[in-house]
């Protein structure tokens, strides 16, 4: 028998004990170890002004994808088509920017229109996948694996049929001419690097300010993560997502609309994956689905 008594439940824990019981502490500790290891391995160059900007930009773009994937996994589902969807929506946007969209009479070179068309495609595919998973009862692992290959093939075929190549080049830097592209791919938190410069750091070889701001995807990641935290921890939908992922049958018996709950994270995940493809700010060149990773 255990030596613990019923009264032990009433013993107050210290702040440290409550902190160690939180599930995110383990992941945060591992992150700290990795950060320290990177700093030592790079002779701390990974955290000079430019290194800090580049590293946070990479962390942010994967963080946006992870936010959607986390909501999906909390709901008890999984998505294998992440990389293929990023390549597919990137292809759509690059094509619309270069060639326009004739069915709607959209001319080339309009970032807002290209963004909305690619977003619509991503949300539609999310709806299709969610509907198949919910209606058929098939595992999301199997359904998204099938869409992984479908999207790869569709991206490859579209490039070769329309562009005659898997690379789209010749696109200008739309951040210079479009406020929308600048919002998605410009710079933010310039005050941080300005303060660093005023304190005697952030200098290039000529003694001028080196870096002027973080990539905008850093701000978008913070906003998206904040919204996700609020939804999951402060709303009825968040409670439903946790309940569905924990025990779908029990959640359904308690009145949770599990089919709708499982479908919504799929839509959100698709939207965030599409958003990640836009955040680096409409690139000069899109290299096709073989690149496979968020640029």
């Amino acid at each position: 028998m255990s030596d613990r008594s019923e009264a032990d439940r009433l013993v107050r824990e210290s702040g440290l004990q409550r902190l160690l019981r939180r599930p995110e502490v383990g992941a945060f500790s591992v992150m700290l170890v990795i950060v320290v290891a990177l700093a030592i391995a790079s002779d701390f160059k990974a955290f000079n002004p430019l290194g800090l900007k580049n590293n946070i930009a990479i962390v942010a773009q994967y963080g946006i994808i992870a936010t959607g994937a986390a909501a999906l996994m909390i709901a008890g589902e999984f998505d294998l088509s992440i990389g293929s969807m990023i390549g597919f929506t990137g292809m759509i946007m690059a094509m619309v920017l270069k060639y326009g969209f004739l069915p709607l009479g959209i001319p080339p070179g309009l970032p807002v229109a290209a963004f909305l068309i690619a977003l619509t495609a991503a949300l539609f595919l999310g709806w299709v996948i969610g509907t198949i998973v919910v209606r058929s009862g098939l595992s999301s692992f199997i359904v998204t694996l099938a869409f992984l290959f479908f999207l790869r093939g569709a991206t490859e075929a579209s490039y070769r049929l329309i562009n005659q190549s898997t690379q789209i080049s010749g696109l200008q830097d739309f951040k210079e001419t479009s406020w929308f592209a600048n919002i998605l791919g410009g710079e933010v938190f310039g005050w941080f690097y300005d303060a660093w410069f005023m304190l005697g750091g952030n200098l290039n070889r000529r003694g001028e300010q080196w870096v002027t701001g973080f990539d905008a995807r850093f701000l978008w990641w913070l906003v998206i993560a904040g919204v996700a935290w609020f939804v999951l921890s402060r709303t009825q939908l968040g409670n439903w997502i946790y309940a569905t992922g924990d025990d779908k049958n029990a959640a359904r018996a308690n009145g949770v609309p599990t089919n709708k709950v499982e479908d919504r994270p799929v839509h959100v995940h698709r939207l965030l994956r599409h958003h990640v493809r836009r955040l680096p700010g409409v690139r000069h060149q899109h290299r096709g689905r073989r690149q496979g990773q968020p640029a």
Side-chain angles (χ1 to χ4, degrees), residues 148-166:
L148 179 150
F149 291 109
F150 166 75
L151 292 172
R152 284 186 179 182
T155 304
E156 178 86 15
S158 299
Y159 271 124
R160 296 194 180 278
L161 288 174
I162 300 174
N163 193 57
Q164 309 301 318
S165 170
T166 57

Side-chain angles (χ1 to χ4, degrees), residues 125-147:
L125 287 169
W127 174 80
V128 171
I129 292 176
T131 301
I132 292 175
V133 171
V134 170
R135 300 296 183 185
S136 68
L138 291 172
S139 168
S140 57
F141 184 93
I142 299 300
V143 175
T144 56
L145 178 62
F147 271 84

Side-chain angles (χ1 to χ4, degrees), residues 140-240:
S140 57
F141 184 93
I142 299 300
V143 175
T144 56
L145 178 62
F147 271 84
L148 179 150
F149 291 109
F150 166 75
L151 292 172
R152 284 186 179 182
T155 304
E156 178 86 15
S158 299
Y159 271 124
R160 296 194 180 278
L161 288 174
I162 300 174
N163 193 57
Q164 309 301 318
S165 170
T166 57
Q167 294 187 12
I168 295 181
S169 58
L171 295 177
Q172 69 182 76
D173 187 356
F174 288 97
K175 296 193 299 295
E176 299 178 355
T177 57
S178 170
W179 62 269
F180 185 77
N182 189 58
I183 288 175
L184 294 182
E187 291 186 339
V188 297
F189 301 135
W191 57 266
F192 176 83
Y193 282 105
D194 292 341
W196 197 342
F197 174 69
M198 293 176 62
L199 292 173
N202 190 23
L203 299 172
N204 59 20
R205 294 179 180 178
R206 293 179 296 182
E208 301 171 346
Q209 184 168 345
W210 186 8
V211 182
T212 57
F214 290 100
D215 195 289
R217 74 192 89 173
F218 181 31
L219 175 61
W220 283 106
W221 177 40
L222 295 178
V223 171
I224 291 169
V227 171
W229 169 82
F230 179 81
V231 171
L232 289 173
S233 62
R234 295 291 187 270
T235 67
Q236 184 184 60
L237 176 60
N239 290 334
W240 286 355

Side-chain angles (χ1 to χ4, degrees), residues 15-43:
L16 179 61
Q17 288 175 322
R18 290 195 301 271
L19 178 65
L20 294 177
R21 289 173 62 87
R22 298 185 66 87
E24 58 267 28
V25 171
F28 185 77
S29 301
V30 172
M31 184 197 72
L32 288 181
V33 172
I34 294 174
V35 168
V36 172
L38 286 175
I40 296 174
S42 66
D43 195 22

